[in-house]
Amino acid sequence: MQPAVDPLSTTLSALADPTRRAILARLARGAATVNELAEPFDISLPAVSRHLKVLQAAGLISRGREAQWRPCRLEAGPLKDLDGWLASYRRFWEGSFDKMEAYLATITKGDPDGREN
Amino acid sequence: MQPAVDPLSTTLSALADPTRRAILARLARGAATVNELAEPFDISLPAVSRHLKVLQAAGLISRGREAQWRPCRLEAGPLKDLDGWLASYRRFWEGSFDKMEAYLATITKGDPDGREN
DNA sequence: GGTTTATTTAACAAGTATGTTAAATACAAA
DNA sequence: TTTGTATTTAACATACTTGTTAAATAAACC
């Protein structure tokens, strides 16, 4: 029943929506206006506007003010933080690399030159 | 309003809850039973049970069956997939590294030995 | 000033998430 | 077989999310 205010939760929950991830993917190729961002989707403009509000609240995008346009651009900070969080779990899927290394060590054992194949 | 949920959305939404992330952090140190996992939290056991159900549905944990216990263990697959998704954004925060390299190149320019400081 | 274009806010509906307590299930131990 | 321990399911309350349409705001254009 907590309002879920920690930044990582906010980031993850913002990213959990496929529409918002698609918006980020678009912004990865450069800044865009709300209408441009909305164009590929079958949802209303207010709905897109709200997605942008969520992304901005999470710090994943920032917005400018040019005439009547509010261009959005990607902000990578929260993604970097997420990457940092993920890093502590990385060893769990890099385990297979260890197995591969152990395997290679086995098949090259007894080879004085240490060639791997 | 879409019923089908893509795996990445499922992963992110499972991770968006701080209680569930704490559970994963605990499981990163080894398998645990539901009661063990519930112990640090101020929420009811059924609530924890439901968090585990969410994590399992997302493939982030798997469960055994030993006597009356259902031990949980971490499954890294979805985290690895998330890491793969994140990777395509990595260049956005590695840009500062490029700047650092450019900076270092500047201050070492004209130093025949190429020492960095 | 009045219109057009871009975007947001308001008001509302439907679905989902998370928590609770009480009861049910599964297995072990006595 | 009864009892205790571990865990889940049921039933319910509350709040959040996401979508809609209609109206409001902001700035450019004529």
Side-chain angles (χ1 to χ4, degrees), chain A residues 17 20 43-44 47 50-51 68:
Chain A
D17 186 287
R20 287 194 287 262
I43 61 178
S44 66
R50 234 151 63 175
H51 280 305
Q68 66 257 237

Side-chain angles (χ1 to χ4, degrees), chain A:
Chain A
M1 268 189 175
Q2 318 174 78
V5 283
D6 67 293
L8 191 50
S9 293
T10 304
T11 300
L12 287 162
S13 134
L15 294 175
D17 186 287
T19 300
R20 287 194 287 262
R21 288 200 306 281
I23 288 172
L24 289 186
R26 166 64 188 79
L27 291 177
R29 299 197 303 277
T33 68
V34 178
N35 267 294
E36 285 167 350
L37 290 171
E39 196 270 323
F41 303 109
D42 270 351
I43 61 178
S44 66
L45 220 38
V48 173
S49 181
R50 234 151 63 175
H51 280 305
L52 295 174
K53 203 173 185 179
V54 172
L55 288 169
Q56 185 175 21
L60 285 159
I61 66 172
S62 62
R63 322 197 56 176
R65 208 168 248 251
E66 292 172 28
Q68 66 257 237
W69 295 275
R70 318 275 151 86
C72 307
R73 59 194 126 74
L74 182 64
E75 294 291 337
L79 294 176
K80 181 179 185 174
D81 294 341
L82 172 55
D83 192 57
W85 176 82
L86 250 193
S88 56
Y89 290 92
R90 199 154 285 144
R91 63 189 171 97
F92 283 97
W93 65 83
E94 279 171 353
S96 49
F97 269 35
D98 296 338
K99 284 183 194 123
M100 176 60 83
E101 284 168 25
Y103 173 68
L104 290 175
T106 298
I107 62 171
T108 56
K109 188 164 59 182
D111 178 356
D113 291 6
R115 275 181 287 112
E116 285 176 5
N117 240 339

Side-chain angles (χ1 to χ4, degrees), chain B residues 27-109:
Chain B
L27 291 177
R29 299 198 303 273
T33 68
V34 179
N35 267 293
E36 286 167 350
L37 291 171
E39 196 271 324
F41 303 109
D42 269 352
I43 61 177
S44 66
L45 220 38
V48 172
S49 182
R50 255 199 349 213
H51 280 304
L52 294 174
K53 204 172 184 178
V54 172
L55 287 169
Q56 184 175 21
L60 285 160
I61 66 172
S62 62
R63 322 199 54 180
R65 208 168 246 250
E66 291 171 27
Q68 67 255 240
W69 295 275
R70 318 275 151 85
C72 306
R73 59 195 126 73
L74 182 65
E75 295 291 336
L79 294 176
K80 181 178 184 174
D81 294 342
L82 172 55
D83 192 58
W85 176 80
L86 250 192
S88 56
Y89 290 92
R90 199 153 287 148
R91 62 187 171 100
F92 283 97
W93 65 83
E94 278 171 352
S96 49
F97 269 37
D98 295 339
K99 282 182 195 126
M100 177 61 82
E101 283 168 26
Y103 173 68
L104 290 175
T106 299
I107 61 170
T108 57
K109 190 163 59 183

